[in-house]
């Protein structure tokens, strides 16, 4: 704890690291092909089998699910935007290199023994190539597929794609969710009523960001970096002791009204690197909170 007054200087411009995913047209076609291989339209036989299995679910929703590909859901574009926004430049370069390699005949021959670009292969051959990555004795190959598959699946099922999916049968429901028995997040007014009935009234915090429009000098007794479980408790105790406390949080502050209840939106706005951060070998996904409240905002229901 600091007993002396400290001065903070806020400057108008902050240098932020920028990520970017630079893809050639061929690499982009390969990305589309990979997405449509992992989330692809099912055959008529596969559709009939799934309809026999999915009893008690609206048949029209199941058919829409079976006929929707990643391209129908806008997954390739969402993948590219997500990676460009959240993935560090060196990792973006690795993804671009892999996609470029799979876009060329020499690259495909070196990786899979195929003499055609990945996007020119049949569905069966594309699936075989991805299985080759999954079962490879080379860790980097397995790591690459795991990373691609995770982002693609999240963008297919974690986003509300009813507005873009041409196979969606009911504008009030996302067929990709409805076929799985999930109706989607509750409406905002229903959430608000339930919270009020449970006595969970929302406390509105004040942020000084909007009041700062130029270089500014502020004076506080204590500055705490991070508003998570540790920082929040320390700030509360110091404020109770009469100290002037400033809490710095790199994540955004979102009120209950700003929460959509859609998983993909939450990952983008509440988690470090959009929930794409993992250990170096990608074996463990690090779901770290990066928002006002830190880990306490995303893990409060886990205890």
């Amino acid at each position: 704890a600091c007993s002396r007054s400290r001065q903070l200087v806020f400057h108008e411009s902050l240098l932020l690291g920028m990520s970017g995913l630079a893809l050639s047209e061929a690499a982009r076609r390969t990305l589309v092909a990979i997405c449509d291989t992992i989330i692809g339209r099912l055959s008529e036989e596969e559709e009939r089998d799934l309809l026999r299995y999915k009893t008690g679910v609206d048949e029209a929703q199941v058919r829409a699910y079976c006929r929707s590909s990643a391209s129908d859901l806008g997954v390739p574009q969402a993948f590219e935007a997500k990676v460009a926004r959240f993935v560090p430049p060196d990792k973006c370069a690795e993804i671009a290199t892999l996609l470029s390699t799979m876009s060329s005949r020499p690259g495909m021959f070196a990786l899979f023994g195929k003499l055609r670009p990945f996007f020119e292969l049949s569905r069966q051959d594309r699936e075989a190539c991805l299985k080759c990555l999954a079962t490879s004795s080379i860790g980097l190959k397995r790591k690459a597929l795991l990373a691609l598959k995770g982002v693609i699946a999240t963008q297919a099922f974690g986003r509300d794609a009813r507005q873009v999916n041409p196979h969606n049968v009911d504008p009030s429901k996302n067929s990709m969710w409805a076929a799985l028995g999930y109706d989607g997040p509750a409406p905002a007014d229903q959430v608000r009523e339930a919270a009020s009935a449970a006595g969970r009234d929302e406390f509105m915090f004040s942020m000084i960001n909007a009041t700062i429009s130029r270089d500014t000098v502020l004076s506080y007794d204590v500055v705490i970096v991070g508003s998570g479980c540790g920082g929040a408790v320390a700030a509360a105790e110091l404020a109770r002791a009469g100290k002037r406390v400033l809490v710095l949080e790199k994540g955004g502050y979102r009120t209950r009204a700003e929460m959509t209840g859609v998983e993909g939106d939450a990952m983008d706005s509440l988690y470090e690197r959009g929930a794409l951060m993992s250990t170096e070998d990608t074996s463990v996904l690090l779901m770290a909170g990066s928002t006002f409240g830190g880990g306490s905002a995303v893990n409060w229901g886990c205890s």
Side-chain angles (χ1 to χ4, degrees), residues 19-21 78-88 92 95 151 276:
S19 299
L21 182 63
F79 177 101
E80 196 169 342
K82 174 120 180 171
V83 169
R85 178 181 175 188
F86 292 111
V87 175
C92 281
I95 294 172
V151 179
L276 294 183

Side-chain angles (χ1 to χ4, degrees), residues 3-286:
S3 58
R4 295 181 300 170
S5 176
R6 299 294 182 113
Q7 288 188 331
L8 296 178
V9 179
F10 288 79
H11 292 283
E12 292 178 347
S13 60
L14 297 176
L15 183 61
L16 300 177
M18 298 296 291
S19 299
L21 182 63
L23 298 181
S24 65
E25 187 58 35
R28 191 166 282 116
R29 290 179 67 185
T30 294
L31 173 60
V32 171
I34 292 173
C35 291
D36 284 340
T37 304
I38 294 175
I39 307 291
R41 295 185 183 94
L42 302 187
S43 66
E44 292 183 2
E45 181 180 356
E46 290 169 329
E47 184 176 312
R48 287 194 297 270
D49 289 342
L50 192 57
L51 283 169
R52 284 195 293 268
Y53 171 75
K54 293 293 290 186
T55 58
V57 180
D58 186 346
E59 182 176 307
Q61 299 287 9
V62 177
R63 289 190 184 279
Y65 175 93
C66 294
R67 298 171 186 180
S68 300
S69 68
S71 290
D72 292 325
L73 304 171
V75 170
Q77 296 85 352
F79 177 101
E80 196 169 342
K82 174 120 180 171
V83 169
R85 178 181 175 188
F86 292 111
V87 175
D90 60 326
K91 300 302 180 184
C92 281
E94 290 179 6
I95 294 172
T97 299
L98 174 63
L99 294 176
S100 295
T101 301
M102 294 175 66
S103 303
S104 69
R105 287 179 171 83
M108 284 295 291
F109 184 75
L111 285 174
F112 308 110
K114 304 287 186 182
L115 288 174
R116 298 170 64 187
F118 185 85
F119 55 80
E120 291 184 357
L121 299 179
S122 66
R123 172 184 168 182
Q124 183 177 1
D125 285 343
R126 295 199 310 268
E127 289 178 350
C129 288
L130 295 186
K131 288 178 181 177
C132 181
L133 290 178
T135 59
S136 173
S137 60
I138 301 175
L140 284 175
K141 289 186 176 182
R142 300 195 305 274
K143 170 184 172 181
L145 179 64
L146 186 63
L148 290 171
K149 186 170 63 175
V151 179
I152 290 169
T154 300
Q155 297 309 297
F157 296 100
R159 294 164 49 250
D160 190 352
R162 76 183 85 173
Q163 299 298 326
V164 299
N165 184 5
H167 303 287
N168 207 81
V169 296
D170 182 349
S172 68
K173 293 183 178 181
N174 181 345
S175 292
M176 299 300 289
W177 296 343
L180 302 176
Y182 174 52
D183 292 331
D189 55 349
Q190 185 177 327
V191 172
R192 188 165 49 250
E193 291 172 5
S196 179
R200 297 200 304 268
D201 294 328
E202 184 176 11
F203 182 87
M204 304 299 289
F205 291 86
S206 60
M207 301 288 158
I208 67 171
N209 306 52
T211 67
I212 300 175
S213 58
R214 60 182 184 277
D215 290 357
T216 304
V217 176
L218 302 174
S219 180
Y220 287 89
D221 298 313
V222 182
V223 176
I224 294 177
V225 179
S227 61
C229 300
V233 172
E237 292 300 317
L238 288 165
R240 188 175 291 115
K243 304 296 183 183
R244 297 186 70 251
V245 182
L246 176 68
V247 177
L248 300 180
E249 171 58 58
K250 71 173 183 176
Y253 171 48
R254 289 167 179 82
T255 64
R256 184 179 293 160
E258 295 175 291
M259 302 293 185
T260 65
V262 176
E263 185 178 14
D265 294 343
M267 287 182 172
D268 288 352
S269 61
L270 302 179
Y271 289 87
E272 182 71 25
R273 292 186 188 171
L276 294 183
M277 189 168 66
S278 69
T279 54
E280 183 65 25
D281 62 357
T282 70
S283 61
V284 179
L285 190 63
L286 305 178

